[in-house]
Amino acid sequence: MSSPVLTSHPSDAEHEVLREIERRVLWLSSAIIHHANLVRPNPSGLKVGGHQASSASMVSIMTSLWFRHLRAQDRVSVKPHASPVLHSINYLLGELDASYLPRLREFGGLQSYPSRLKDPDPADYSTGSVGIGATAPLWGAVSRRYVDTAFSGAGTGRQYSLVGDAELDEGAVWEAVLDPGVADLGEVVWIVDLNRQSLDRVVPNIAADKLRGMFAAAGWQVITLKYGSVMEGLFARPGGAELRRRIDDMPNPEYQRLLRCDADELRHRLPGDGPDNTAIAALIGNIDDNTLVEAIANLGGHDLEALDGAFASIDDTRPTVIFAYTVKGYGLATKGHPQNHSALLNDAQMRDLAERTGGDADAPWRGFPSDSAAQMLCQQASERLRRPERTPQTPPSLPTDIGRTPTGTATTQAALGRVLLDLTRAAPDAARRVVTVSPDVSSTTNLGGWVNKVGVWSPSERRDWFADDAETILHWRERPTGQHIELGIAETNLVSLLGELGATWSRWGQPLLPIGVLYDPFVERALEPWSYGIYAGGQSILVGTPSGVSLAPEGGAHQSIKTPSIGLEQPGCVTYEPAFAIDTEWALLASLSRLGKPDGSSAYLRLSTRPVDQTLASVPADPAARERRRRQVVAGAYALRRANNPDVTIAAMGAVVPEALQAAERLEQVGIASDVVCVTSPDLLYRAVRARQGHESADSWVLDQVFPADRATHLVTVLDGHPHTLSFLATINRVATTALGVTRFGQSGSLEDVYRYHGLDTDGIVRAALDLSG
């Protein structure tokens, strides 16, 4: 039979085909969860979980979007608890094999929440951490624009977020909405599933008017879909204005209670005891029971005609938010129940659902007949949404060593800016792929020279009103060819954008080399979205600077303690904490070389503002010896000082390496010979140890070169961070050890005073070595 073509103004017959798909999506999404929890064997008895009610509230919205409005160039971030709806739609589109439908939350099956990398079917964005998936399309839109202006080929397309109303409680949402650059993103559309329930309850005051006002004040187009066509029809009758006012004014819990009522109870409860009760009672008294029960739940988020109108009215010159009122559990026996968040339908309820939706409880994954109008529409949608295959470009080659040997006194933070500038001369093709991001700290993190060189990215050129000011040092030249993106002060926004910039190689085939720079103490503030970006396939470099108690005058609030541990423990990421400028160069170049490819990884560099005499690095002059040193730096550690017959080894990292060298000289004066090892990556050393133990695959040669068994001695470890970060080094040769570091909140003071307070000073290292040797 011929396939109906859905026009911009579909007929009733065309919408009925869409409703048939809508019903099948409701059935499939519910059956996926039902099978995982109540059909599939579960020997452990551990709860599997899933969210039938949360999925049901999104069925109409997602059916309308995928089967009528979505285009191949568009991308969608699906709210975490609606993942079964996404899988159901992908199955109907032919993008997911039926064998996966019984495997929700099973090892190797469908993930708990949409995952770009782990699910077998398409997911544009990984979601699951509340608020992060909601904001990701904002940064995806920025990344698409950046790629298109810099290299072309990213095209256009809307970035949709399907957001649960409870997600709007997350501060990350408002940090993103309020960033000044977001108001220019016309391709962004958020659809808020306004079901007015959280996990535990009906939210008493969802304050939708206030939320709408906040979006409008941020420059967003605001569209509200509150009631569906059935309810709007009632409002047009005599008594309808009074009924609308009554429902608008009632508290959310009272409205939700009405959803649990039959027709007789509705006629008793709905009029209320206000002055309009007589008119309302007269109106609903003339409505048949089924229509009345249907009408009370007829909200805009479940009305396909209303959704059509909302999507058609989107203004693509600014971001849009659609508040779609819905019922949690719509179409299920649990609809509107305040505790339905994790509730599961029983077998009898599932059979009833199958009967009402055209599903089959005994053959739940049955598709539409091949000659049916519904199957034809699924095929049309599949063809419309098919994206061209993109072969990711290979990132430009990078040098491993620019060749500079720093002298004098310098900081590792300043070395970052120097390496970026050197890269523009040594490898211009690779440098063109570098994009830096910072939350209003470019000048204070030594990116000023780089920003002056490459300019600030903007979709359109903006006039620099200070270009003729001779006293202006940092030049803010905004243009489409710029390579630095400056956000507001929110670190969450920075790492979220960093993750999306790091995913452009897989989205549009254009690899970028993104570097985000922020104050190291605030890595912890940004940790979750940063980690989530890595989980979702974003490959980037995060630079935390300045770090540690070496930022002595700033005091405890700005002295990071736990960040070395974070770098060591973060999956998908290599961490470095260099002591010298040359180490910074080599580590940064190695980190850049890992970006923008299928087997790539992210990196975290912890840098310092402590000035250090660069001659202490003792960089070998012989080319072969220099290359050996570079390989060791990149692999995690190198020997900085070797004694003839060492009694103790001092393994130091980062800013405290000068104290370790001074301690070794002092110890030699009292007859204790000391090796000094400069650790550049505790992360890679730990992986090497685990590889030796057979726990993972990693290179371990650096252990033999830097910690050879024939030089095994007592071990003192020291770093400007928590001491446990390096304490594992004692297991390499099973030696006696003591670990120095920071375990308390810091203090303001001079560097000498603060180091002494934490036992990081030369005296502290000497005492620790004497205690071991004695």
Side-chain angles (χ1 to χ4, degrees), residues 128-262:
S129 191
V130 176
I132 294 173
T135 61
L138 296 176
W139 314 119
V142 174
S143 300
R144 185 201 61 77
R145 284 194 180 194
Y146 183 91
V147 167
D148 207 50
T149 55
F151 306 105
S152 74
T156 59
R158 288 176 180 169
Q159 305 280 329
Y160 289 91
S161 286
L162 307 182
V163 184
D165 53 5
E167 287 192 85
L168 298 183
D169 290 345
E170 287 290 336
V173 167
W174 298 106
E175 288 181 359
V177 168
L178 295 175
D179 191 89
V182 168
D184 295 328
L185 299 175
E187 61 267 43
V188 169
V189 180
W190 283 18
I191 305 169
V192 179
D193 172 17
L194 199 66
N195 60 50
R196 295 173 281 189
Q197 284 188 238
S198 63
L199 190 150
D200 292 326
R201 60 175 182 155
V202 178
V203 180
N205 297 297
I206 200 68
D209 289 339
K210 181 173 73 173
L211 293 173
R212 287 191 287 265
M214 292 168 69
F215 276 98
W220 290 51
Q221 177 192 18
V222 179
I223 299 172
T224 301
L225 291 179
K226 188 164 188 180
Y227 299 111
S229 56
V230 176
M231 186 66 88
E232 291 287 357
L234 291 183
F235 294 155
R237 299 184 187 184
E242 290 82 357
L243 177 61
R244 182 193 293 270
R245 184 161 55 245
R246 163 80 171 119
I247 297 176
D248 282 346
D249 291 344
M250 69 175 54
N252 291 331
E254 182 181 4
Y255 171 77
Q256 292 284 115
R257 181 63 184 88
L258 296 178
L259 298 174
R260 309 289 300 167
C261 296
D262 59 22

Side-chain angles (χ1 to χ4, degrees), residues 78 232 605 624 726:
V78 176
E232 291 287 357
L605 272 64
L726 297 181

Side-chain angles (χ1 to χ4, degrees), residues 55-73:
S55 291
S57 68
M58 288 298 302
V59 165
S60 303
I61 293 169
M62 293 177 67
T63 299
S64 177
L65 189 57
W66 260 264
F67 292 94
R68 270 196 53 78
H69 297 278
L70 207 60
R71 303 163 300 172
Q73 64 266 38

